[in-house]
PDB file of all heavy atoms in Angstrom:
ATOM      1  N   VAL A 111      20.729 -20.414  32.617  1.00 90.00           N
ATOM      2  CA  VAL A 111      20.686 -18.962  32.801  1.00 90.00           C
ATOM      3  C   VAL A 111      20.980 -18.705  34.268  1.00 90.00           C
ATOM      4  O   VAL A 111      20.175 -19.006  35.146  1.00 90.00           O
ATOM      5  CB  VAL A 111      19.307 -18.387  32.408  1.00 90.00           C
ATOM      6  CG1 VAL A 111      19.275 -16.875  32.613  1.00 90.00           C
ATOM      7  CG2 VAL A 111      18.955 -18.745  30.967  1.00 90.00           C
ATOM      8  N   ASN A 112      22.179 -18.175  34.570  1.00 92.00           N
ATOM      9  CA  ASN A 112      22.584 -17.910  35.957  1.00 92.00           C
ATOM     10  C   ASN A 112      21.770 -16.772  36.573  1.00 92.00           C
ATOM     11  O   ASN A 112      21.293 -16.889  37.690  1.00 92.00           O
ATOM     12  CB  ASN A 112      24.076 -17.542  36.022  1.00 92.00           C
ATOM     13  CG  ASN A 112      24.966 -18.686  35.601  1.00 92.00           C
ATOM     14  OD1 ASN A 112      24.683 -19.841  35.867  1.00 92.00           O
ATOM     15  ND2 ASN A 112      26.039 -18.362  34.910  1.00 92.00           N
ATOM     16  N   TRP A 113      21.675 -15.683  35.864  1.00 92.00           N
ATOM     17  CA  TRP A 113      20.878 -14.544  36.310  1.00 92.00           C
ATOM     18  C   TRP A 113      20.419 -13.759  35.103  1.00 92.00           C
ATOM     19  O   TRP A 113      20.935 -13.925  33.997  1.00 92.00           O
ATOM     20  CB  TRP A 113      21.641 -13.628  37.287  1.00 92.00           C
ATOM     21  CG  TRP A 113      22.982 -13.132  36.794  1.00 92.00           C
ATOM     22  CD1 TRP A 113      24.205 -13.668  37.066  1.00 92.00           C
ATOM     23  CD2 TRP A 113      23.223 -12.008  35.934  1.00 92.00           C
ATOM     24  NE1 TRP A 113      25.184 -12.950  36.433  1.00 92.00           N
ATOM     25  CE2 TRP A 113      24.622 -11.916  35.745  1.00 92.00           C
ATOM     26  CE3 TRP A 113      22.427 -11.057  35.329  1.00 92.00           C
ATOM     27  CZ2 TRP A 113      25.208 -10.938  34.956  1.00 92.00           C
ATOM     28  CZ3 TRP A 113      23.011 -10.074  34.541  1.00 92.00           C
ATOM     29  CH2 TRP A 113      24.391 -10.023  34.378  1.00 92.00           C
ATOM     30  N   GLN A 114      19.436 -12.908  35.369  1.00 94.00           N
ATOM     31  CA  GLN A 114      18.866 -12.131  34.277  1.00 94.00           C
ATOM     32  C   GLN A 114      18.332 -10.807  34.844  1.00 94.00           C
ATOM     33  O   GLN A 114      17.795 -10.776  35.939  1.00 94.00           O
ATOM     34  CB  GLN A 114      17.701 -12.919  33.666  1.00 94.00           C
ATOM     35  CG  GLN A 114      17.338 -12.580  32.265  1.00 94.00           C
ATOM     36  CD  GLN A 114      16.438 -13.667  31.703  1.00 94.00           C
ATOM     37  OE1 GLN A 114      15.324 -13.833  32.164  1.00 94.00           O
ATOM     38  NE2 GLN A 114      16.929 -14.390  30.712  1.00 94.00           N
ATOM     39  N   ARG A 115      18.496  -9.759  34.084  1.00 93.00           N
ATOM     40  CA  ARG A 115      18.032  -8.439  34.528  1.00 93.00           C
ATOM     41  C   ARG A 115      17.450  -7.718  33.309  1.00 93.00           C
ATOM     42  O   ARG A 115      18.041  -7.757  32.233  1.00 93.00           O
ATOM     43  CB  ARG A 115      19.231  -7.656  35.073  1.00 93.00           C
ATOM     44  CG  ARG A 115      18.869  -6.394  35.754  1.00 93.00           C
ATOM     45  CD  ARG A 115      18.878  -6.603  37.258  1.00 93.00           C
ATOM     46  NE  ARG A 115      18.631  -5.316  37.894  1.00 93.00           N
ATOM     47  CZ  ARG A 115      17.698  -5.135  38.791  1.00 93.00           C
ATOM     48  NH1 ARG A 115      16.958  -6.120  39.194  1.00 93.00           N
ATOM     49  NH2 ARG A 115      17.519  -3.953  39.302  1.00 93.00           N
ATOM     50  N   ASN A 116      16.294  -7.100  33.479  1.00 92.00           N
ATOM     51  CA  ASN A 116      15.714  -6.359  32.356  1.00 92.00           C
ATOM     52  C   ASN A 116      15.406  -4.935  32.775  1.00 92.00           C
ATOM     53  O   ASN A 116      15.230  -4.630  33.936  1.00 92.00           O
ATOM     54  CB  ASN A 116      14.481  -7.050  31.778  1.00 92.00           C
ATOM     55  CG  ASN A 116      13.366  -7.181  32.784  1.00 92.00           C
ATOM     56  OD1 ASN A 116      13.556  -6.960  33.973  1.00 92.00           O
ATOM     57  ND2 ASN A 116      12.195  -7.548  32.310  1.00 92.00           N
ATOM     58  N   GLY A 117      15.397  -4.041  31.768  1.00 89.00           N
ATOM     59  CA  GLY A 117      15.136  -2.638  32.024  1.00 89.00           C
ATOM     60  C   GLY A 117      15.283  -1.808  30.779  1.00 89.00           C
ATOM     61  O   GLY A 117      15.200  -2.323  29.666  1.00 89.00           O
ATOM     62  N   ALA A 118      15.493  -0.505  30.958  1.00 88.00           N
ATOM     63  CA  ALA A 118      15.683   0.494  29.903  1.00 88.00           C
ATOM     64  C   ALA A 118      14.388   0.834  29.184  1.00 88.00           C
ATOM     65  O   ALA A 118      14.333   1.813  28.470  1.00 88.00           O
ATOM     66  CB  ALA A 118      16.749   0.082  28.897  1.00 88.00           C
ATOM     67  N   GLY A 119      13.371   0.054  29.336  1.00 87.00           N
ATOM     68  CA  GLY A 119      12.070   0.330  28.730  1.00 87.00           C
ATOM     69  C   GLY A 119      11.016  -0.487  29.454  1.00 87.00           C
ATOM     70  O   GLY A 119      11.339  -1.362  30.261  1.00 87.00           O
ATOM     71  N   SER A 120       9.775  -0.232  29.158  1.00 89.00           N
ATOM     72  CA  SER A 120       8.699  -0.922  29.877  1.00 89.00           C
ATOM     73  C   SER A 120       7.989  -1.992  29.060  1.00 89.00           C
ATOM     74  O   SER A 120       6.987  -2.545  29.499  1.00 89.00           O
ATOM     75  CB  SER A 120       7.685   0.098  30.387  1.00 89.00           C
ATOM     76  OG  SER A 120       7.130   0.824  29.312  1.00 89.00           O
ATOM     77  N   LEU A 121       8.505  -2.312  27.884  1.00 90.00           N
ATOM     78  CA  LEU A 121       7.916  -3.361  27.064  1.00 90.00           C
ATOM     79  C   LEU A 121       8.044  -4.707  27.785  1.00 90.00           C
ATOM     80  O   LEU A 121       9.103  -5.038  28.316  1.00 90.00           O
ATOM     81  CB  LEU A 121       8.617  -3.439  25.705  1.00 90.00           C
ATOM     82  CG  LEU A 121       8.135  -4.533  24.751  1.00 90.00           C
ATOM     83  CD1 LEU A 121       6.741  -4.195  24.228  1.00 90.00           C
ATOM     84  CD2 LEU A 121       9.094  -4.666  23.577  1.00 90.00           C
ATOM     85  N   VAL A 122       6.977  -5.460  27.816  1.00 90.00           N
ATOM     86  CA  VAL A 122       7.015  -6.788  28.415  1.00 90.00           C
ATOM     87  C   VAL A 122       7.480  -7.765  27.344  1.00 90.00           C
ATOM     88  O   VAL A 122       6.820  -7.960  26.330  1.00 90.00           O
ATOM     89  CB  VAL A 122       5.624  -7.191  28.955  1.00 90.00           C
ATOM     90  CG1 VAL A 122       5.646  -8.601  29.500  1.00 90.00           C
ATOM     91  CG2 VAL A 122       5.151  -6.198  30.006  1.00 90.00           C
ATOM     92  N   ALA A 123       8.640  -8.362  27.577  1.00 90.00           N
ATOM     93  CA  ALA A 123       9.226  -9.303  26.631  1.00 90.00           C
ATOM     94  C   ALA A 123       9.943 -10.399  27.409  1.00 90.00           C
ATOM     95  O   ALA A 123      10.540 -10.134  28.454  1.00 90.00           O
ATOM     96  CB  ALA A 123      10.207  -8.605  25.712  1.00 90.00           C
ATOM     97  N   ALA A 124       9.848 -11.607  26.917  1.00 90.00           N
ATOM     98  CA  ALA A 124      10.537 -12.737  27.537  1.00 90.00           C
ATOM     99  C   ALA A 124      11.825 -13.008  26.768  1.00 90.00           C
ATOM    100  O   ALA A 124      11.848 -12.957  25.543  1.00 90.00           O
ATOM    101  CB  ALA A 124       9.648 -13.973  27.518  1.00 90.00           C
ATOM    102  N   SER A 125      12.872 -13.298  27.496  1.00 91.00           N
ATOM    103  CA  SER A 125      14.151 -13.581  26.878  1.00 91.00           C
ATOM    104  C   SER A 125      14.055 -14.805  25.973  1.00 91.00           C
ATOM    105  O   SER A 125      13.415 -15.803  26.324  1.00 91.00           O
ATOM    106  CB  SER A 125      15.206 -13.818  27.963  1.00 91.00           C
ATOM    107  OG  SER A 125      16.414 -14.276  27.385  1.00 91.00           O
ATOM    108  N   ALA A 126      14.698 -14.738  24.840  1.00 90.00           N
ATOM    109  CA  ALA A 126      14.738 -15.883  23.921  1.00 90.00           C
ATOM    110  C   ALA A 126      15.618 -16.990  24.472  1.00 90.00           C
ATOM    111  O   ALA A 126      15.596 -18.120  23.983  1.00 90.00           O
ATOM    112  CB  ALA A 126      15.247 -15.433  22.550  1.00 90.00           C
ATOM    113  N   LEU A 127      16.400 -16.686  25.521  1.00 90.00           N
ATOM    114  CA  LEU A 127      17.305 -17.664  26.126  1.00 90.00           C
ATOM    115  C   LEU A 127      16.631 -18.514  27.181  1.00 90.00           C
ATOM    116  O   LEU A 127      17.115 -19.590  27.512  1.00 90.00           O
ATOM    117  CB  LEU A 127      18.504 -16.946  26.746  1.00 90.00           C
ATOM    118  CG  LEU A 127      19.276 -16.041  25.802  1.00 90.00           C
ATOM    119  CD1 LEU A 127      20.259 -15.196  26.586  1.00 90.00           C
ATOM    120  CD2 LEU A 127      19.965 -16.855  24.753  1.00 90.00           C
ATOM    121  N   GLY A 128      15.547 -18.026  27.760  1.00 89.00           N
ATOM    122  CA  GLY A 128      14.881 -18.710  28.845  1.00 89.00           C
ATOM    123  C   GLY A 128      14.942 -17.863  30.107  1.00 89.00           C
ATOM    124  O   GLY A 128      15.534 -16.798  30.135  1.00 89.00           O
ATOM    125  N   ALA A 129      14.327 -18.367  31.168  1.00 91.00           N
ATOM    126  CA  ALA A 129      14.256 -17.632  32.432  1.00 91.00           C
ATOM    127  C   ALA A 129      15.439 -17.970  33.323  1.00 91.00           C
ATOM    128  O   ALA A 129      16.091 -19.009  33.157  1.00 91.00           O
ATOM    129  CB  ALA A 129      12.955 -17.988  33.141  1.00 91.00           C
ATOM    130  N   ALA A 130      15.701 -17.108  34.284  1.00 88.00           N
ATOM    131  CA  ALA A 130      16.795 -17.334  35.244  1.00 88.00           C
ATOM    132  C   ALA A 130      16.574 -18.649  35.985  1.00 88.00           C
ATOM    133  O   ALA A 130      15.471 -18.954  36.427  1.00 88.00           O
ATOM    134  CB  ALA A 130      16.871 -16.169  36.227  1.00 88.00           C
ATOM    135  N   GLY A 131      17.629 -19.440  36.098  1.00 87.00           N
ATOM    136  CA  GLY A 131      17.571 -20.732  36.778  1.00 87.00           C
ATOM    137  C   GLY A 131      17.163 -21.891  35.884  1.00 87.00           C
ATOM    138  O   GLY A 131      17.221 -23.044  36.289  1.00 87.00           O
ATOM    139  N   ALA A 132      16.754 -21.625  34.658  1.00 88.00           N
ATOM    140  CA  ALA A 132      16.330 -22.676  33.731  1.00 88.00           C
ATOM    141  C   ALA A 132      17.441 -22.954  32.725  1.00 88.00           C
ATOM    142  O   ALA A 132      18.401 -22.199  32.591  1.00 88.00           O
ATOM    143  CB  ALA A 132      15.062 -22.233  32.995  1.00 88.00           C
ATOM    144  N   ASN A 133      17.296 -24.061  32.016  1.00 88.00           N
ATOM    145  CA  ASN A 133      18.233 -24.369  30.933  1.00 88.00           C
ATOM    146  C   ASN A 133      18.127 -23.293  29.859  1.00 88.00           C
ATOM    147  O   ASN A 133      17.035 -22.807  29.545  1.00 88.00           O
ATOM    148  CB  ASN A 133      17.938 -25.738  30.322  1.00 88.00           C
ATOM    149  CG  ASN A 133      18.371 -26.883  31.224  1.00 88.00           C
ATOM    150  OD1 ASN A 133      19.130 -26.685  32.172  1.00 88.00           O
ATOM    151  ND2 ASN A 133      17.869 -28.060  30.943  1.00 88.00           N
ATOM    152  N   ALA A 134      19.264 -22.934  29.306  1.00 87.00           N
ATOM    153  CA  ALA A 134      19.308 -21.865  28.304  1.00 87.00           C
ATOM    154  C   ALA A 134      19.059 -22.420  26.909  1.00 87.00           C
ATOM    155  O   ALA A 134      19.530 -23.497  26.556  1.00 87.00           O
ATOM    156  CB  ALA A 134      20.670 -21.178  28.338  1.00 87.00           C
ATOM    157  N   THR A 135      18.318 -21.677  26.135  1.00 88.00           N
ATOM    158  CA  THR A 135      18.113 -21.969  24.726  1.00 88.00           C
ATOM    159  C   THR A 135      19.078 -21.092  23.947  1.00 88.00           C
ATOM    160  O   THR A 135      18.860 -19.893  23.797  1.00 88.00           O
ATOM    161  CB  THR A 135      16.658 -21.665  24.307  1.00 88.00           C
ATOM    162  OG1 THR A 135      15.773 -22.369  25.162  1.00 88.00           O
ATOM    163  CG2 THR A 135      16.408 -22.048  22.869  1.00 88.00           C
TER     164      THR A 135
END
Side-chain angles (χ1 to χ4, degrees):
V111 180
N112 296 324
W113 54 263
Q114 203 166 66
R115 189 100 175 128
N116 62 348
S120 60
L121 178 70
V122 177
S125 172
L127 304 169
N133 286 345
T135 305

